[in-house]
Amino acid sequence: MADRTADKELVARKGPHVTSIIWKWFGFDKTDTEQTTVMCKVAVYMAKRDFVDHCDFVDPVDGVVLIDPVQLKGRKVYVMLSCTFRYGRQDMDVMGVAFRRDLFVVTRQVYPELQDKEKLIHNKIQQKLLRKLGDNAFPFFFEFPDNLPCSVALQPGPSDVGKKCAVEFEVKAFCGEIQDDKIDKQSSVRLTIRKIQFSPENSKVVPTAETTFEFLMSEKPLHVKLSLPKETFYHGEPLKANVEITNSSSRNIKDISVSVEQVTNVVLYSNDKYVKSVAKEETSDSVPSGTSLKKEYTLYPLLAHNKDRRGLALDGRLKHEDTNLASSSIVKQEVLKEVQGMLVFYKVVVRMIASGMVGSSEVSLEVPFRLMNPKPEPAPPVKESEPEDMVFEDFKRAYLKGIVYGDDDESPTEA
């Protein structure tokens, strides 16, 4: 995915001994547009922004918070992990109708410490960060429950403003007298993360569908078969669809088209259903009466070909990072579909016109498939004798042109 590619490029630029990219966010006084005046100096350090659902477990969310006890003036520091479903803009929340629902929220106090710091360290990167940042750095750790959906968002149109329909995950660090204090944006920092899922092991299922169409005043039928070479395709991979048509009817078949359709069901608040063609090949192929056709069509379901399509489902987008079409939803057993927010499926559809003396009609056939990210190869272990460096990538106003504060995204956000 895009951010992992960026990580590799950054490692290549920084040198061969860099093994960890540390993302850093910190809070600003939003009234100061020229200088980075920090209200309570809360900084969050995390080694990744994508957390993988392996079906039987999910990568834990961990990192380190750096504070300035003097600026805190007796306040406490908390870290919150949340999963939120949004449906429309926040200013549409009228007449008691909620367009935002928290699917999961958990908050932990990191300062003052409630338990020994060593008990909260879960990996070597946290250990290295704590040594590097000093005594005012504190670790945090969260585990995802089993029933949460993966990150997904509907792509807004070019003229749309406000928050889109999305399932989003966020880590937020903030200062307060107590945990339930109203969170001051000037004393907090929030960052969007993603929960993603890689393709399970390839199954030996070959998606196939075939059917027979009968027509008025035709003694014999039309037989159509559609098949794919495998069940799971990866983002960016060409999709090959095999079409077989045996036309024994009295009608002539023309205007054959093959398309990949994305079906998104919004299942939490409504039963809205979005069906979008993400790749299509329209042909002049024809199958006259008494003949047959066997042909392979190649389709490319890519976000690059659908950049401005409103309502298209995407894998959760991170600021300043690219994304791709939403991966197929895999709903675990005993998990209610309604709490998933949105479910995404894909299918290949072949359509054609059957024309005859008594009129024309469209016939179609479809097969489902999965569109997902491949499981990456495990990273090679670092030898004890090799030095290991960490690169810190700051998200701050000085590095990004045209940055202002946003209400609903990581700090800072893009204008």
Side-chain angles (χ1 to χ4, degrees), residues 192-220:
T192 301
I193 61 174
R194 279 190 295 207
K195 179 173 176 282
I196 62 174
Q197 197 165 38
F198 294 132
S199 171
E201 296 298 327
N202 281 331
S203 67
K204 297 182 180 180
V205 175
V206 177
T208 303
E210 54 184 315
T211 189
T212 298
F213 299 93
E214 296 183 349
F215 304 104
L216 184 66
M217 299 179 65
S218 178
E219 294 182 0
K220 295 182 179 180

Side-chain angles (χ1 to χ4, degrees), residues 153-157 160 165 262-264 266 273-276 306 308-314 342:
L154 294 187
Q155 179 168 260
D160 290 347
C165 180
Q262 180 194 77
V263 182
T264 305
V266 181
K273 186 176 183 179
Y274 299 85
V275 180
K276 302 288 183 179
N306 300 274
D308 297 321
R309 296 282 306 283
R310 186 178 187 272
L312 202 64
L314 313 177
M342 288 185 282

Side-chain angles (χ1 to χ4, degrees), residues 213-216 222 249 251-255 351-364:
F213 299 93
E214 296 183 349
F215 304 104
L216 184 66
L222 167 71
S249 73
R251 296 202 175 190
N252 294 318
I253 303 302
K254 61 180 183 178
D255 299 337
R351 293 183 174 89
M352 60 199 76
I353 300 297
S355 61
M357 295 182 63
V358 293
S360 300
S361 58
E362 182 184 86
V363 296
S364 63

Side-chain angles (χ1 to χ4, degrees), residues 46-219:
M46 296 179 66
K48 60 182 179 180
R49 303 181 71 185
D50 282 351
F51 298 86
V52 180
D53 186 339
H54 301 269
C55 289
D56 52 347
F57 74 97
V58 184
D59 291 345
V61 177
D62 55 66
V64 169
V65 175
L66 180 65
I67 66 169
D68 183 344
V70 176
Q71 295 246 350
L72 285 175
K73 299 178 181 178
R75 290 178 293 177
K76 299 175 182 177
V77 177
Y78 302 91
V79 177
M80 175 190 296
L81 172 65
S82 63
C83 173
T84 303
F85 175 76
R86 301 176 187 270
Y87 192 43
R89 304 190 308 272
Q90 285 190 331
D91 58 13
M92 294 173 62
D93 189 358
V94 294
M95 301 192 59
V97 179
F99 287 88
R100 170 191 169 120
R101 177 175 171 182
D102 289 327
L103 302 179
F104 174 74
V105 178
V106 61
T107 305
R108 299 230 168 98
Q109 179 179 319
V110 296
Y111 178 84
E113 300 166 272
L114 296 179
Q115 57 179 307
D116 187 32
K117 188 182 292 187
E118 293 298 323
K119 294 181 180 179
L120 294 172
I121 298 174
H122 289 82
N123 56 53
K124 291 182 178 180
I125 292 181
Q126 280 184 312
Q127 289 178 336
K128 291 176 181 295
L129 281 169
L130 292 172
R131 286 199 299 266
K132 186 177 183 68
L133 298 175
D135 293 337
N136 292 330
F138 300 88
F140 64 87
F141 177 86
F142 295 100
E143 289 185 306
F144 287 108
D146 256 354
N147 61 342
L148 292 182
C150 290
S151 300
V152 63
L154 294 187
Q155 179 168 260
S159 60
D160 290 347
V161 294
K163 204 66 186 179
K164 55 190 176 295
C165 180
V167 174
E168 298 177 319
F169 291 83
E170 183 181 81
V171 173
K172 181 187 299 182
F174 61 95
C175 312
E177 299 292 340
I178 59 174
Q179 178 176 315
D180 295 330
D181 272 354
K182 182 178 179 180
I183 299 175
D184 185 347
K185 293 176 184 176
Q186 298 180 19
S187 299
S188 66
V189 57
R190 56 205 331 201
L191 48 136
T192 301
I193 61 174
R194 279 190 295 207
K195 179 173 176 282
I196 62 174
Q197 197 165 38
F198 294 132
S199 171
E201 296 298 327
N202 281 331
S203 67
K204 297 182 180 180
V205 175
V206 177
T208 303
E210 54 184 315
T211 189
T212 298
F213 299 93
E214 296 183 349
F215 304 104
L216 184 66
M217 299 179 65
S218 178
E219 294 182 0

Side-chain angles (χ1 to χ4, degrees), residues 217-279:
M217 299 179 65
S218 178
E219 294 182 0
K220 295 182 179 180
L222 167 71
H223 184 80
V224 182
K225 181 179 180 181
L226 174 62
S227 62
L228 305 178
K230 57 182 180 178
E231 183 183 24
T232 301
F233 291 84
Y234 299 140
H235 292 291
E237 179 183 9
L239 183 148
K240 298 183 183 297
N242 296 292
V243 177
E244 297 180 33
I245 301 173
T246 303
N247 186 12
S248 302
S249 73
S250 60
R251 296 202 175 190
N252 294 318
I253 303 302
K254 61 180 183 178
D255 299 337
I256 300 172
S257 68
V258 184
S259 61
V260 174
E261 294 186 353
Q262 180 194 77
V263 182
T264 305
N265 291 316
V266 181
V267 295
L268 187 58
Y269 278 126
S270 65
N271 287 318
D272 286 357
K273 186 176 183 179
Y274 299 85
V275 180
K276 302 288 183 179
S277 174
V278 295

